[in-house]
Amino acid sequence: MSMPSIFVSHGAPTLILTDAPARTFLAGLGQQIPRPTAIVAVSAHWDTDVPAVSLVRRPDTIHDFYGFPEALYKLRYDAPGAPALAEKVAKLTGAAHDHHRGLDHGAWVPAMLAWPEADIPIFQLSVQPALGPAHHIALGRKLASLREEGVLVMGSGSAIHNLRALVRNEDASEPEPWAQAFDDWMADTLEKGDELALADYRASAPFAREAHPTDEHLLPLHVAYGAAGEGARGRALHRSFTLGNLSMAAYTFD
């Protein structure tokens, strides 16, 4: 079985408690793609200087946020880790070993929605914001062979992530033109499989600085794209906005 790789926008941690189109999409994701043998989660919320991989046997649920409803802090995602596969990923990528890292909300929120039984092994691979998109495409490409083992590489970040541009308390508000333009560019670029434009999105995409003041929430997309192998193309699984300009787009690559 050749598994596609995917990118999902995980939004605010409260997505899991919110009635929103993106939550509905993620809750049905497990039925849209083949069942993975294991999941390599590449979250925007674990950044390191060099790649690192978690070898924890029973990953903790990390509540890496503050000031949210108490119900959110009571949630636990008790899926097993996959130390042997994590070791293989470390060898493929040259990643350092981390024996303590659990699952941050970029990993467990979409996983809990898509696979609520928590019976698929999952572990994290970090991003390196200082090294840029091309590095992350190359990092993902080192994982391409895992597709034949049914392993899902799941990038989790945000298709647009500018916290200053959010429209608070207005989930249904329309995105501003700059946000729509960037989101449309990304969908079109991925559909074409234009790797050069994707790697140099800051120069190629309209309103790139407004959409991503920093890179970390888009880099998981680059890893997922790379993991689909040479000549990959993307297809939108879901597109919506929340809080005005926060794109919740999700893509599959093969």
Side-chain angles (χ1 to χ4, degrees), residues 42-132:
V42 184
S43 168
H45 293 281
W46 188 22
D47 62 274
T48 54
D49 292 336
V50 299
V53 66
S54 174
L55 282 79
V56 178
R57 291 188 176 276
R58 301 296 306 189
D60 291 333
T61 302
I62 303 173
H63 298 87
D64 52 333
F65 40 77
Y66 304 93
F68 286 93
E70 184 61 28
L72 201 54
Y73 298 95
K74 295 180 179 179
L75 295 178
R76 298 287 184 275
Y77 192 64
D78 293 325
L85 180 59
E87 178 63 47
K88 181 174 183 176
V89 168
K91 290 179 179 178
L92 288 172
T93 62
H97 295 176
D98 188 299
H99 295 279
H100 304 286
R101 180 77 182 189
L103 302 175
D104 62 53
H105 77 273
W108 67 259
V109 167
M112 181 177 281
L113 286 167
W115 301 281
E117 298 85 0
D119 56 356
I120 298 174
I122 182 172
F123 63 96
Q124 290 195 220
L125 173 67
S126 67
V127 295
Q128 296 75 59
L131 299 183

Side-chain angles (χ1 to χ4, degrees), residues 6-13 15-16 21-27 29 42 44-45 105-107 109-111 113 154-161 182-183 186 212 217-218 220-221 237-242 245-251:
I6 63 172
F7 169 78
V8 298
S9 296
H10 60 253
L15 177 68
I16 202 165
R23 185 192 187 282
T24 301
F25 157 71
L26 286 170
L29 177 61
V42 184
H45 293 281
H105 77 273
V109 167
L113 286 167
M154 180 181 73
S156 178
S158 189
I160 292 179
H161 190 262
F182 181 89
D183 208 53
M186 182 60 70
H212 289 279
H217 269 76
L218 196 60
L221 182 149
L237 292 174
H238 174 78
R239 293 182 67 188
S240 68
F241 283 84
T242 187
N245 299 311
L246 186 65
S247 173
M248 298 300 293
Y251 296 93

Side-chain angles (χ1 to χ4, degrees), residues 17-44:
L17 305 176
T18 304
D19 182 14
R23 185 192 187 282
T24 301
F25 157 71
L26 286 170
L29 177 61
Q31 285 70 55
Q32 291 194 46
I33 62 173
R35 178 179 169 85
T37 57
I39 301 168
V40 183
V42 184
S43 168

